[in-house]
Structures are given as structure tokens and as C-alpha cells.
């Protein structure tokens, strides 16, 4: 396994991989890990939105309380590669539709992205927030260079 250079890992993270976000659990509880859509530009911050889907906002509260998360993205096809980034929470705020569309468009066609965002924002029982994180520590591996 070869560790990626700074440029390689930032470009890899900027690609539209589905990430797995993990945040520490409460005392005696396992960490919470969920798949997530996100946006990232090399050298910048990571943004993502999450909703409660009519459930209690436990994950959101855990993220606020911990102030740090881990995001893992991987290449699904062979040869395997991954980037893991530990990141500090910078902001928590209600998203604008355009902020959500910027993320959703990375993963789906325009008409689906529009519908997805409208559905998330149109449900009065779904609390949606935009999270911004600053990358702090990186781990990576790319077996295509071995």
C-alpha cells in the first residue's frame, strides 16, 4: 500500500465518492457511522447536509458535542484506494437550497437533485442542517501504485 501525496488525497476526496461519516457515541455507546453525500474542493473545507428524517436529532447533537468527526471515502473498483480525514466542526447552520443542490448534483442528475432537495426541505418534520468541517489529519492508501 502506498500513501497518497497531499495533492492526490485532496483530489481523491474532491471526487464524488459516497463518504462514511463517523462521530463518537455517548458514554458506553458505539460511534455513529452513516453514509453521506459531501462536497470538497482541494485546500478547502468539507460541507455536507443531514436531516433528521422525522427522528430525534441525536446524530446532529453528537456532532455538535464532539466537535470532530471522521470521514472515509473509498474507490469501489479495483485497485482499492481510500482517504480518511479527521475534521473539526466549523459551522452548523440551516442550508440554502443552492448549498444543498451543490452537494446533490455531485451524485445525481439535475432533475433528481432538485426533487431530492425539495423533498428534504419540504418536510416540516425534517430538521435539515448544513455542516462545515476543516480537515485536520489525513490517512490514505492507493494500491494502484504498488
Amino acid at each position: 500500500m502506498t500513501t497518497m501525496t497531499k495533492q492526490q488525497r485532496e483530489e481523491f476526496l474532491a471526487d464524488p465518492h459516497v463518504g462514511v461519516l463517523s462521530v463518537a457515541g455517548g458514554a458506553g455507546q458505539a460511534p455513529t457511522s452513516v453514509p453521506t453525500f459531501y462536497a470538497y474542493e482541494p485546500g478547502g473545507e468539507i460541507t455536507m447536509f443531514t436531516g433528521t428524517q422525522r427522528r430525534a436529532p441525536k446524530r446532529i447533537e453528537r456532532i455538535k458535542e464532539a466537535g470532530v468527526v471522521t470521514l472515509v471515502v473509498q474507490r469501489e473498483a479495483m485497485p482499492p484506494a481510500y482517504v480518511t480525514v479527521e475534521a473539526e466542526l466549523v459551522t452548523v447552520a440551516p442550508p440554502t437550497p443552492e448549498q444543498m443542490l451543490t452537494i446533490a448534483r455531485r451524485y445525481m442528475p439535475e432533475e433528481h437533485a432538485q426533487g431530492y432537495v425539495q423533498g428534504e426541505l419540504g418536510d416540516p418534520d425534517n430538521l435539515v442542517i448544513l455542516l462545515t468541517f476543516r480537515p485536520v489529519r489525513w490517512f490514505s492508501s492507493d494500491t494502484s501504485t504498488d
Side-chain angles (χ1 to χ4, degrees), residues 64-118:
K64 287 181 189 177
E65 183 179 315
V68 293
V69 296
T70 300
L71 179 66
V72 179
V73 298
Q74 68 180 7
R75 180 171 44 226
E76 295 293 327
M78 295 303 269
Y82 74 88
V83 167
T84 299
V85 61
E86 294 175 1
E88 297 174 332
L89 181 62
V90 177
T91 61
V92 177
T96 66
E98 193 55 41
Q99 288 171 316
M100 291 177 69
L101 282 167
T102 296
I103 296 168
R105 286 176 179 135
R106 288 171 40 91
Y107 298 94
M108 57 189 78
E110 181 66 27
E111 62 276 5
H112 292 141
Q114 291 279 345
Y116 177 66
V117 169
Q118 288 172 6

Side-chain angles (χ1 to χ4, degrees), residues 10-82:
E10 288 187 354
E11 288 174 359
F12 190 89
L13 186 63
D15 289 340
H17 301 282
V18 174
V20 176
L21 180 74
S22 295
V23 63
Q29 296 179 333
T32 298
S33 298
V34 295
T36 188
F37 296 160
Y38 68 94
Y40 175 76
E41 293 289 329
E45 296 176 326
I46 302 164
T47 58
M48 63 187 70
F49 62 87
T50 188
T52 58
Q53 288 82 37
R54 300 178 178 217
R55 296 184 299 251
K58 291 179 189 174
R59 178 174 6 118
I60 296 167
E61 294 307 317
R62 284 183 176 179
I63 291 169
K64 287 181 189 177
E65 183 179 315
V68 293
V69 296
T70 300
L71 179 66
V72 179
V73 298
Q74 68 180 7
R75 180 171 44 226
E76 295 293 327
M78 295 303 269
Y82 74 88

